[in-house]
Amino acid sequence: MHARRRLTVVIIAAAVAVGVTACSGSGPAPVVVVTQTTHVPGASPVTTPAGSAGASVAPNPPDQSDSPPPADAGDATATVPSTGSGSPSTAGDSASSITGSASAGPNAESDGFVPTRLKPGEKPPQFIAVSFDGAGWHEKWQYWFGIAKKVPFHFTANLTGLYLLDEAHKNTYRGPGHARGTSSLGSWNTPGEVKQEILDLNKAHADGHEIATHFMGHFCSDNPPGADVWTTADWNSDLDQFFDVWKNYKSIDQIPGMPTLDVPADEVTGGRTPCLEGTQEALYPALVAHGIDYDQSFTRRGIVWPDQSPKHKIWNMGMAEFPMHGSIPGYGPNHFQITMDYNFWYSQEFDPSTGQMKDVSAAKSKADSEQVQATYQDMLDGALAGSHAPLLLGNHFNEWNNNAYTEALGNFLLDNCGKPGIYCVTYRDVVDWMNMQDPKVLARLQAEPPILGPPGSSNR
């Protein structure tokens, strides 16, 4: 049994879409000077001085990729200056159902969100659920904690388990088919960075954010054998090691003064595979064996209500493929895109002639950021005009494209979280809300057509 309150699972038999694409290794993380300024509605937007355009990538089809945190990640800080009261004027009473005490009732989540069953004829809430892959950079933890102080916002952190190991003990890990002590991440944490990571995970948990798994070594098809060909035994091996490191990092690392990780291992009930790779047939039995009941790996065309795999009852919480706002050189208008930061970056700035992302100006990065923020808004407007299917957004703790995607997501959340009927919650919250619904009501929502654009678009 999980320590976390669990709801009775609603079983909805439905077809599960699989579409998976290949991944690119990101190379070294970009180095940027970060001075964050956030806004609430009516205030100035997030701004960041220009830095390096960043990591090089292999010319593979777009997907997602992790980078290790910079070498000084454990010491980095980001400030989110106060812009007034710290809450949007539009939040009204809706914020209380997200930020209230977990003792608000028997169904209250750790972040205070209280899932309730829809009444006859009642519209579902509009959820925005954000997850971050890797989750190993202190400066980014601080930044998103700061956003959560401004508006009612909780997020899911998909932890790469290797961030709990220091380099001296890297041989503890052996990825399926790979040499012991190797990974695709390129670097390992120092003892100080491991300590800081534990403290950040503890703060996230205490503040009501969710910790999920991003597995261990981030092996993808560009570093075979990758997740694209892993068997159930391979997935079991990686998850076994993830939870072993989670529970035994103190005895493994032997770092003096190591803090205690306060997050119970059995609260890890969701995850996302490296590079969105793998098959449901191989992955899902391993998830079930480790008490994981939802997965974020397999994308679907358009914004839809999630469903469960008929055989394994794993919730498919994959991101939407949605058209970019405006047009992109080389793609034109109406370019459908996996709604994750790395994929936006690939579509906007990948140079096939060099096999790398372009080194662009601060002005171009700002334009890219504004385009992504407008895409997020198109998604929300389309969902609100349609079935209210949740926005499932994916990002990384990274500074790609001069921080364009951090700014885009941060500004979008500050503009919308806490507005009446809009709830910026964890993936776990969305799953628990769906588990609570009448199966017939949920089935009707799942049968609604995919949302393929904002109101009035040619896709609708």
Side-chain angles (χ1 to χ4, degrees):
M1 292 292 293
H2 294 290
R4 184 188 183 92
R5 176 197 57 76
R6 304 304 300 278
L7 298 170
T8 302
V9 175
V10 177
I11 299 174
I12 303 295
V16 180
V18 177
V20 181
T21 56
C23 172
S24 302
S26 65
V31 178
V32 296
V33 178
V34 181
T35 305
Q36 303 290 7
T37 304
T38 65
H39 80 289
V40 294
S44 299
V46 174
T47 57
T48 304
S52 167
S56 62
V57 297
N60 293 351
D63 189 288
Q64 61 144 333
S65 178
D66 283 343
S67 290
D72 63 348
D75 299 324
T77 59
T79 57
V80 184
S82 174
T83 54
S85 64
S87 60
S89 59
T90 56
D93 295 333
S94 64
S96 63
S97 64
I98 298 179
T99 58
S101 169
S103 62
N107 295 321
E109 299 288 351
S110 61
D111 60 4
F113 175 73
V114 182
T116 57
R117 180 175 284 214
L118 288 177
K119 299 175 182 178
E122 185 180 12
K123 289 185 176 181
Q126 180 60 61
F127 295 117
I128 300 173
V130 175
S131 61
F132 297 97
D133 290 358
W137 186 356
H138 177 61
E139 185 270 336
K140 287 298 183 182
W141 280 113
Q142 294 295 102
Y143 177 80
W144 294 111
F145 290 155
I147 294 292
K149 290 180 179 179
K150 295 295 179 183
V151 289
F153 163 59
H154 289 96
F155 59 84
T156 296
N158 295 323
L159 174 68
T160 299
L162 291 190
Y163 292 150
L164 301 182
L165 292 178
D166 69 342
E167 185 169 13
H169 299 93
K170 63 184 181 181
N171 284 347
T172 301
Y173 173 65
R174 183 170 186 172
H178 291 269
R180 187 171 293 279
T182 62
S183 82
S184 292
L185 298 179
S187 68
W188 296 79
N189 275 345
T190 67
E193 289 163 353
V194 176
K195 288 182 179 180
Q196 184 61 63
E197 179 68 8
I198 299 295
L199 295 174
D200 287 331
L201 290 167
N202 285 346
K203 177 172 173 52
H205 178 64
D207 289 353
H209 306 291
E210 178 193 14
I211 311 302
T213 182
H214 197 40
F215 299 86
M216 292 291 285
H218 209 273
F219 290 113
C220 302
S221 57
D222 63 341
N223 190 0
D228 61 319
V229 297
W230 279 6
T231 65
T232 298
D234 294 332
W235 289 114
N236 274 323
S237 173
D238 222 53
L239 285 172
D240 286 346
Q241 293 181 83
F242 177 91
F243 286 106
D244 179 61
V245 170
W246 184 287
K247 296 173 183 178
N248 300 303
Y249 66 93
K250 282 188 176 181
S251 60
I252 294 171
D253 292 330
Q254 302 179 30
I255 298 172
M258 178 69 78
T260 297
L261 180 59
D262 295 333
V263 189
D266 61 3
E267 291 203 11
V268 178
T269 59
R272 178 178 287 136
T273 64
C275 300
L276 309 182
E277 290 184 349
T279 66
Q280 294 179 4
E281 292 77 11
L283 173 66
Y284 283 4
L287 297 184
V288 172
H290 289 84
I292 294 173
D293 64 3
Y294 81 82
D295 173 65
Q296 310 168 32
S297 308
F298 303 101
T299 64
R300 277 90 66 83
R301 188 81 161 181
I303 306 168
V304 297
W305 278 96
D307 54 20
Q308 285 180 298
S309 64
K311 182 177 180 181
H312 300 290
K313 315 310 176 192
I314 297 292
W315 285 100
N316 180 7
M317 303 288 287
M319 293 170 288
E321 299 165 11
F322 193 85
M324 290 283 286
H325 183 88
S327 63
I328 297 178
Y331 293 99
N334 207 35
H335 170 59
F336 275 78
Q337 169 70 63
I338 296 173
T339 49
M340 171 170 268
D341 53 0
Y342 181 83
N343 301 76
F344 290 130
W345 189 31
Y346 188 102
S347 290
Q348 290 173 321
E349 300 302 344
F350 181 72
D351 185 349
S353 67
T354 63
Q356 298 183 356
M357 302 298 188
K358 299 173 185 175
D359 187 1
V360 300
S361 66
K364 182 62 167 66
S365 295
K366 184 175 186 295
D368 288 346
S369 181
E370 290 172 348
Q371 182 179 36
V372 171
Q373 183 180 347
T375 301
Y376 289 146
Q377 195 63 49
D378 285 349
M379 295 175 71
L380 179 59
D381 293 345
L384 287 169
S387 67
H388 285 212
L391 272 60
L392 303 175
L393 306 178
N395 270 58
H396 292 75
F397 279 11
N398 222 306
E399 300 283 5
W400 292 324
N401 198 356
N402 296 324
N403 215 41
Y405 309 109
T406 296
E407 293 180 7
L409 180 60
N411 287 334
F412 171 72
L413 296 172
L414 290 166
D415 279 349
N416 291 287
C417 294
K419 287 183 177 179
I422 296 176
Y423 299 88
C424 297
V425 298
T426 68
Y427 275 57
R428 179 77 251 166
D429 289 334
V430 179
V431 169
D432 284 348
W433 184 89
M434 293 188 298
N435 280 334
M436 178 167 278
Q437 302 314 304
D438 182 297
K440 294 181 181 178
V441 172
L442 189 59
R444 285 198 295 270
L445 291 174
Q446 292 165 330
E448 290 284 336
I451 296 157
L452 301 173
S457 75
S458 59
N459 298 320
R460 294 180 68 85

